[in-house]
Amino acid sequence: MEPPSYEEANRHPSIPSRVGLNNENLASAPSTPPPTYREAVHQDPFPVLTPPSVPAAEVPPSQPAEVTVHPLTQIGRRGGASSSRQTQSVVVVSQPQPVPIVPTSLIDAPGLIRCPHCQHLVTTKVTYKPGCAAWCSCTLLALMGLICGICLIPLMLRRMQDAHHYCPDCEKKVYVYKR
């Protein structure tokens, strides 16, 4: 069986696909197409705002009537009142000073401390040297039979070495972080 031709299909009334939908509801549907994606999603990042206004009773006689004053945004103005000489308050904001840590809380990374020797506020210089953890691992690998240089790998791994913290000013040892 072949589908009906275009002319035959137009002669028969269409059957609504939803229950309760009739031709009257179809006629009342809006005739404008839905907005495009750009129209629906695009929002103006800078909406046009109405300028603030001051009632005529609050405008001082020294100002022209067409000048609009917003009391919250005008520096030196308080509630729309004007004075011949107004002072501007200046606020200076500074960042807080870095807080040095105690030497015993240093780990394997440089830290900001007050040197106990020269009393300067410095960031420590770190050098890594094989410590107890590296030598114990090396000995354990050698006892397991890995003697062809493989047992020396823990001596080269930074995670197995102790961190020696030095003051960059006086070059004295500040702390040793042991593994």
Side-chain angles (χ1 to χ4, degrees), residues 12-136:
H12 298 290
S14 62
I15 300 172
S17 62
R18 289 189 257 165
V19 177
L21 186 65
N22 54 23
N23 289 340
E24 294 167 1
N25 290 343
L26 291 175
S28 66
S31 61
T32 59
T36 63
Y37 177 78
R38 183 176 297 268
E39 292 171 348
V41 173
H42 178 70
Q43 294 177 357
D44 190 12
F46 302 105
V48 177
L49 301 175
T50 59
S53 62
V54 176
E58 294 181 18
V59 176
S62 63
Q63 288 183 347
E66 66 270 358
V67 173
T68 303
V69 176
H70 193 279
L72 298 177
T73 59
Q74 300 297 318
I75 296 175
R77 298 190 185 268
R78 301 190 192 280
S82 66
S83 63
S84 60
R85 178 171 280 220
Q86 297 176 359
T87 60
Q88 294 180 354
S89 60
V90 177
V91 178
V92 177
V93 178
S94 63
Q95 292 184 344
Q97 294 295 323
V99 179
I101 58 175
V102 293
T104 57
S105 63
L106 291 171
I107 54 172
D108 61 345
L112 181 71
I113 64 162
R114 183 166 302 278
C115 178
H117 306 290
C118 64
Q119 301 301 320
H120 288 117
L121 189 64
V122 295
T123 301
T124 60
K125 182 174 66 173
V126 181
T127 58
Y128 299 95
K129 297 178 183 173
C132 184
W135 284 108
C136 288

Side-chain angles (χ1 to χ4, degrees), residues 160-173:
M160 301 293 284
Q161 297 176 353
D162 294 342
H164 295 261
H165 292 267
Y166 292 94
C167 174
D169 290 344
C170 64
E171 299 293 330
K172 291 186 179 178
K173 188 182 291 188

Side-chain angles (χ1 to χ4, degrees), residues 138 141-142 145-156:
C138 179
L141 290 173
L146 302 172
I147 54 173
C148 295
I150 296 175
C151 63
L152 301 176
I153 291 176
L155 298 175
M156 293 178 258

